[in-house]
Amino acid sequence: MDWDDLRVFLAVARSESLSAAGKILKCDAATVGRRIARLEDAVSAQLFARSAQGYALTDAGARLVPHAEQAEQAMSAAAEDLGGAAGRITGQLRIGAPDGCANYLLPQVCAAICDAHPGLEIQIVALPRVFNLSRREADMAIAVSPPAAGRLTVQKLTDYHLHLAGHADYLARHPPVATRADLAGHRMIGYIPDMIFDKELDYMAETGAGGVTLASNSVSVQMQMIRAGAGLGIVHDFAIPACPGVVRVLPDQIVLTRSFWLIRHADDRRSDRLNRLAEALAAGLRREVARLESLA
């Protein structure tokens, strides 16, 4: 069984498309199709069910995936060792994260990691949703709650805090807020209710402020609304230093605590390279959250 064919097989399994796999592998879809056919001949089994919707793994294909991933990890480890990269983090790595973390924490954390490891390339995918690590949408992901299922390893990174906040200009133009009851006279900013992908993001239920008037599925857009003086909303303490003029409201009455979790594919525990990145990422995020929260 040819390792290069297994590499093509994994790309198709993760993308469920010949053309998408071709983009990953930098070759055309026809070549990918021929390689899959060759591998199926070699193992005497159909690995994919073809349909108009794409390529779905058959039972035989699903059984082959963990073996192919073990081969992938072994080849990666061999390349690091023989290339003299042992002890260093090199190559390309992709991190998925909710957009608040991706916008206000990961840029400086990842810059510091790259400074310490020349030859490392980091891609930050900022999306307000859960990442599918089984399809290798990312090498690792940061989430606001631990997953309940899947072949995954989960590590708690750090707690962080959120407060109700508004821009000083908005607060100067509107009635003062001394108690939670005063919030009824203010415009609230928050998530689009039916697009809250994790219960940990349902902040308004804890404030008692009722519904939102201005909403977005992006926490960064919400922060820009608040910064523009459009109303009040829940913000990450670590984001406040990046937004001059935004101040906490009812800081002693409304304070939320959440956590970031690092999620990895279970098989990646065998990768020293990814283990070292996870350690550097965890340490960097803990330091950065503590630093920025002290400035908020």
Side-chain angles (χ1 to χ4, degrees), residues 104 165-174 187 189 214 219-233 235 239-240 242-247:
Y104 299 109
H167 195 276
D169 292 344
Y170 172 87
L171 295 170
R173 299 193 313 268
H174 292 80
R187 184 162 55 203
I189 295 167
L214 286 172
V219 69
S220 300
V221 173
Q222 294 172 35
M223 176 59 100
Q224 293 308 314
M225 291 177 178
I226 294 167
R227 189 176 183 181
L232 305 177
V235 304
I240 293 177
C243 300
V246 173
V247 297

Side-chain angles (χ1 to χ4, degrees), residues 93-97 123-125 129 131-142 263-265 268 274:
L93 292 157
R94 179 176 292 181
I95 303 168
Q123 297 178 345
I124 300 172
V125 183
R129 64 172 178 82
F131 285 82
N132 190 326
L133 295 184
S134 296
R135 294 184 181 178
R136 298 294 174 169
E137 292 181 339
D139 295 296
M140 55 187 66
I142 297 168
I263 303 169
R264 301 169 57 194
H265 196 281
D268 288 348
L274 291 178

Side-chain angles (χ1 to χ4, degrees), residues 107-129:
Q108 55 269 37
V109 170
C110 291
I113 294 173
C114 286
D115 286 344
H117 298 278
L120 174 64
E121 299 176 15
I122 297 180
Q123 297 178 345
I124 300 172
V125 183
L127 289 175
R129 64 172 178 82

Side-chain angles (χ1 to χ4, degrees), residues 204-260:
M204 287 301 161
E206 297 184 40
T207 67
V212 299
T213 303
L214 286 172
S216 173
N217 68 324
S218 165
V219 69
S220 300
V221 173
Q222 294 172 35
M223 176 59 100
Q224 293 308 314
M225 291 177 178
I226 294 167
R227 189 176 183 181
L232 305 177
I234 295 294
V235 304
H236 299 81
D237 284 7
F238 59 68
I240 293 177
C243 300
V246 173
V247 297
R248 294 169 176 164
V249 175
L250 301 179
D252 298 327
Q253 299 180 46
I254 299 177
V255 55
L256 288 66
T257 301
R258 296 292 189 268
S259 302
F260 283 132

